[in-house]
Amino acid sequence: WCLVRRFTPSSCPPFFRRNRPFSVKSDPLNPTHARPPLNIFLIRHGESTANENDEVYRATPDHQVPLTMRGNRMAVDAGQFLNDFFTNKYGTPAKMGKCRMYVSPFLRTRSTAEGVLMGCSKWISSVRESVYLVEQDWGLFEGPGIKDAEAKYPMEWARCQAMADHQGKYWARFPSGESCYDVCCRVSNLFHELLDGQDHTDDPINNVILVSHGVTIRAFVLMWMNNSPEWFNQSVNPPNCSIWHLDGDADQGFIYSGFDRKGEQVSLEKLVCPKDHQKEHWAAYDSKCLTQYKPHSSIWVHQNQSLRALRVPRAADPQCAEATKDSVEQVEHLSDVESPTMSDTVLPNQPQPQPSDQAAAADD
């Protein structure tokens, strides 16, 4: 990744590195190019007809499930909140910079995006759809099939339950569908495009709004923040039209609480993101590695001396002739010096070969 993107490890998103400050953004080929933290706002879709009654799935495909009237109002309220949030933080869209919205191509997320745009359209520079943001595929159990799964697909149901009990829900894959692990791998494909938007130094895109689904939002946060599967199992789907804010590699949590299944606004104090204890464990381990494990100095000195001796200047150098001559002499001098080999090294407590043994070895 670092070679293709021309970034140092510290400039990669948290998914590609661990415990490095996201605020340090530098391009080695363009030192003046400073990349500010990417502001990401994740919005779950508003209330859908399937949220009210999951029997809707029997006649309507998952991607065509619409919002309820209350769900449309939720989206507009979320957009108005973003408008106030951006106004208080930036003042004007010019000071904020470009902001792009990515939308899952499902009907309920498209309608949610339109409602959000009604409230804060002046802050949005462009809108794109991304198939990476679609809902988790439940395969044979899609829609209301989860109710009939045990009767219609007894073998598949038993296997899925056994995998969930043995491996955990994060790893258990639905028959002909996706596991939560699969959703994480899929959604991470969007990271390249998000960072590519910041590559345009003339007018970079430093603010992103993602309108997606519950499991997909949790998968995005896990991959972007480099969280663990244990964190995913502890988390729950965010409420409808809630807004989750990621400021670079800082998880700011929910800035807008959204609405519950009854259509009532949730208290923001109740939305607490779980701590990732496994991530904290590795963070402590990484700090130990930086102080305890160092390369052997004599090995690096020998390597550096050899590399410096073999480094020959380019022909375009004005002093190429004299420098090349000196370098070649150094290389020839190194080749004349005999370096000890494993056969010449005498190890402790190693029996020395007798003359007769040496003669026999020479004959062989």
Side-chain angles (χ1 to χ4, degrees), residues 227-260:
N227 290 339
S228 65
E230 289 80 5
W231 174 90
F232 190 93
N233 290 332
Q234 294 175 8
S235 64
V236 296
N237 285 347
N240 292 117
C241 280
S242 59
I243 303 177
W244 199 332
H245 182 205
L246 303 179
D247 186 4
D249 65 349
D251 187 353
Q252 303 294 345
F254 291 95
I255 60 175
Y256 185 69
S257 59
F259 303 86
D260 59 15

Side-chain angles (χ1 to χ4, degrees), residues 32-286:
T32 61
H33 179 198
R35 300 176 60 246
L38 185 62
N39 271 310
I40 303 176
F41 301 89
L42 301 112
I43 306 177
R44 188 189 176 189
H45 61 80
E47 182 188 66
S48 67
T49 55
N51 292 143
E52 282 190 329
N53 182 13
D54 56 9
E55 295 296 326
V56 172
Y57 285 114
R58 296 191 183 276
T60 308
D62 189 16
H63 67 278
Q64 293 183 0
V65 173
L67 292 181
T68 62
M69 294 297 296
R70 189 166 57 185
N72 284 288
R73 291 194 299 269
M74 293 178 183
V76 176
D77 292 341
Q80 292 176 351
F81 171 85
L82 277 180
N83 179 72
D84 298 337
F85 180 85
F86 292 149
T87 302
N88 296 331
K89 186 173 182 179
Y90 300 105
T92 62
K95 293 182 179 180
M96 175 182 176
K98 277 194 171 182
C99 179
R100 175 172 292 170
M101 175 183 285
Y102 288 89
V103 185
S104 165
F106 280 28
L107 178 58
R108 55 185 179 274
T109 45
R110 288 174 174 173
S111 302
T112 302
E114 292 177 355
V116 172
L117 287 171
M118 291 177 62
C120 63
S121 59
K122 67 178 182 179
W123 300 93
I124 311 299
S125 307
S126 58
V127 181
R128 291 186 180 179
E129 289 190 351
S130 175
V131 294
Y132 297 134
L133 296 176
V134 299
E135 179 63 291
Q136 180 183 11
D137 185 0
W138 285 42
L140 296 178
F141 306 157
E142 189 69 55
I146 193 68
K147 296 181 177 180
D148 307 331
E150 190 172 4
K152 294 178 62 176
Y153 311 103
M155 296 181 61
E156 291 82 357
W157 174 263
R159 180 180 181 275
C160 186
Q161 290 297 316
M163 289 181 62
D165 295 337
H166 178 65
Q167 301 180 6
K169 294 182 179 180
Y170 177 81
W171 306 102
R173 180 177 291 109
F174 289 111
S176 302
E178 291 180 307
S179 64
C180 297
Y181 164 77
D182 296 327
V183 180
C184 290
C185 295
R186 182 235 301 165
V187 76
S188 65
N189 292 316
L190 184 61
F191 292 175
H192 175 84
E193 185 173 351
L194 298 182
L195 293 178
D196 188 62
Q198 287 190 301
D199 250 357
H200 303 287
T201 55
D202 295 335
D203 200 5
I205 301 174
N206 296 323
N207 305 278
V208 174
I209 298 175
L210 305 179
V211 183
S212 186
H213 311 264
V215 174
T216 311
I217 289 176
R218 291 159 59 201
F220 185 98
V221 174
L222 181 145
M223 298 300 285
W224 186 266
M225 298 302 302
N226 198 20
N227 290 339
S228 65
E230 289 80 5
W231 174 90
F232 190 93
N233 290 332
Q234 294 175 8
S235 64
V236 296
N237 285 347
N240 292 117
C241 280
S242 59
I243 303 177
W244 199 332
H245 182 205
L246 303 179
D247 186 4
D249 65 349
D251 187 353
Q252 303 294 345
F254 291 95
I255 60 175
Y256 185 69
S257 59
F259 303 86
D260 59 15
R261 292 182 174 272
K262 298 180 180 180
E264 299 177 357
Q265 189 163 1
V266 181
S267 173
L268 196 61
E269 298 177 353
K270 295 182 179 180
L271 297 178
V272 180
C273 300
K275 289 186 177 181
D276 192 347
H277 299 288
Q278 185 65 31
K279 185 177 179 179
E280 295 175 356
H281 167 74
W282 289 124
Y285 176 81
D286 288 346

Side-chain angles (χ1 to χ4, degrees), residues 1-2 9 12-18 188 191-192 195 223 226:
W1 170 269
C2 296
C12 297
F15 169 66
F16 297 100
R17 46 98 176 147
R18 185 184 295 278
S188 65
F191 292 175
H192 175 84
L195 293 178
M223 298 300 285
N226 198 20

